[in-house]
Amino acid sequence: MKILILGAGKMGTFFCDLLSADHQVAVYDPEPDKLRFTYGVERFDTLENVREFAPELVINAATVKHTLSAFRNVLPYIDSRCILSDIASVKTGLPEFYADCGHPFVSTHPMFGPTFASLSNLSSENAIIISEGDHLGRVFFRDLYQRLQLNIVEYTFEEHDQTIAYSLSVPFASTLVFASTMQHQDAPGTTFKRHMTIARGLMGEDDYLLSEILFNPNSPSQLERIRHQLARLQKIIERRDSEAMAAYLAEVRENLK
């Protein structure tokens, strides 16, 4: 298959490496310097090359901020039968775009950001395939993710956003609150240092990505759960209520099973 990848960032180059052995792959990025780190693929820094390449599948690996504009820019250069796909963690605006674009589409979310995951060993990671999309496109990505030994689930766009509000907004918000109260520690404990590692990794992400994940319409209800549990814990601590603390810890352990 002839596959065009939009964006030569971390995920774009990952998909280049992953697909180039079995497919004819090209990568487009308007910043030529980024193309230096792609190998075994055709490298385009102008969209005119895309017309000649005539891709059958476009994988949009542009940053979340530029996902929709990257699609709109490439549309005049591809055939209407070309399948459009995205791997965005934030799907805002994508259902509406796909409904009007005139192309078959498939939307997925490989949930192994390059900040924390080992891209050489993904057997403990997950991927979401959106059920609203082209059948052949979904089959392609299911086969691809199975080769990576990912755990695969199918959600609608709405179910995806609800899941992301829980699985990303909650830890992101919790980490931001932890980091916002940070004080210098001359002798930090192991747990503190682990939290610091997570916080530094999170703050290395793109600001727009962090904002859009937290701006998910489902995030406020998840944050309210955090606020409620924090208030509950604070009362237990203020009262030094050993019995209530034991019950609270037992409840948390049960949640972790």
Side-chain angles (χ1 to χ4, degrees):
M1 181 184 290
K2 299 179 75 172
I3 301 172
L4 172 69
I5 296 172
L6 302 178
K10 291 180 180 178
M11 291 303 288
T13 54
F14 170 76
F15 275 91
C16 284
D17 294 341
L18 181 64
L19 296 167
S20 57
D22 300 312
H23 302 276
Q24 186 177 350
V25 178
V27 57
Y28 164 75
D29 197 295
E31 299 181 36
D33 286 349
K34 290 185 177 180
L35 297 171
R36 293 182 300 168
F37 304 103
T38 56
Y39 305 96
V41 299
E42 297 186 54
R43 296 180 284 184
F44 302 153
D45 60 4
T46 174
L47 287 169
E48 287 296 336
N49 299 119
V50 173
R51 193 192 309 277
E52 183 178 348
F53 181 69
E56 301 165 81
L57 170 68
V58 171
I59 298 177
N60 191 336
T63 58
V64 169
K65 185 175 183 179
H66 299 293
T67 299
L68 289 172
S69 61
F71 268 146
R72 293 187 179 107
N73 289 340
V74 80
L75 283 182
Y77 301 91
I78 59 176
D79 187 271
S80 61
R81 293 168 295 181
C82 179
I83 301 173
L84 300 181
S85 69
D86 75 90
I87 56 172
S89 54
V90 177
K91 304 298 185 185
T92 305
L94 283 167
E96 296 81 6
F97 169 80
Y98 285 134
D100 296 334
C101 71
H103 285 260
F105 74 91
V106 56
S107 183
T108 75
H109 181 181
M111 298 181 69
F112 47 89
T115 298
F116 296 115
S118 170
L119 297 183
S120 61
N121 181 14
L122 298 171
S123 58
S124 62
E125 304 294 341
N126 304 295
I128 296 172
I129 298 177
I130 301 299
S131 57
E132 303 153 305
D134 180 75
H135 173 71
L136 292 179
R138 296 202 313 274
V139 168
F140 174 87
F141 278 96
R142 177 170 287 278
D143 290 345
L144 181 64
Y145 292 153
Q146 283 177 338
R147 280 172 44 200
L148 296 173
Q149 299 182 312
L150 292 165
N151 174 54
I152 303 167
V153 294
E154 284 206 13
Y155 290 141
T156 64
F157 278 115
E158 182 177 356
E159 289 169 337
H160 169 272
D161 288 350
Q162 292 171 349
T163 299
I164 295 309
Y166 173 73
S167 65
L168 291 184
S169 295
V170 169
F172 280 19
S174 300
T175 300
L176 287 172
V177 170
F178 165 79
S180 69
T181 61
M182 196 54 48
Q183 296 178 357
H184 177 72
Q185 295 284 324
D186 291 324
T190 300
T191 302
F192 184 92
K193 289 189 288 186
R194 288 179 178 176
H195 278 287
M196 280 293 292
T197 298
I198 293 173
R200 289 192 176 107
L202 181 68
M203 298 316 297
E205 296 284 4
D206 178 74
D207 286 3
Y208 185 86
L209 172 64
L210 296 177
S211 298
E212 287 303 296
I213 286 174
L214 291 169
F215 290 164
N216 183 322
N218 299 285
S219 292
S221 61
Q222 296 295 336
L223 298 185
E224 177 61 25
R225 294 175 64 224
I226 294 176
R227 191 200 64 78
H228 171 73
Q229 289 297 332
L230 185 59
R232 177 185 170 194
L233 180 60
Q234 183 175 357
K235 288 180 180 179
I236 293 172
I237 293 171
E238 288 173 346
R239 296 196 306 263
R240 300 177 63 85
D241 189 334
S242 298
E243 184 176 334
M245 178 62 79
Y248 184 84
L249 295 176
E251 182 181 315
V252 171
R253 290 191 177 95
E254 185 66 26
N255 286 345
L256 294 174
K257 289 183 179 179

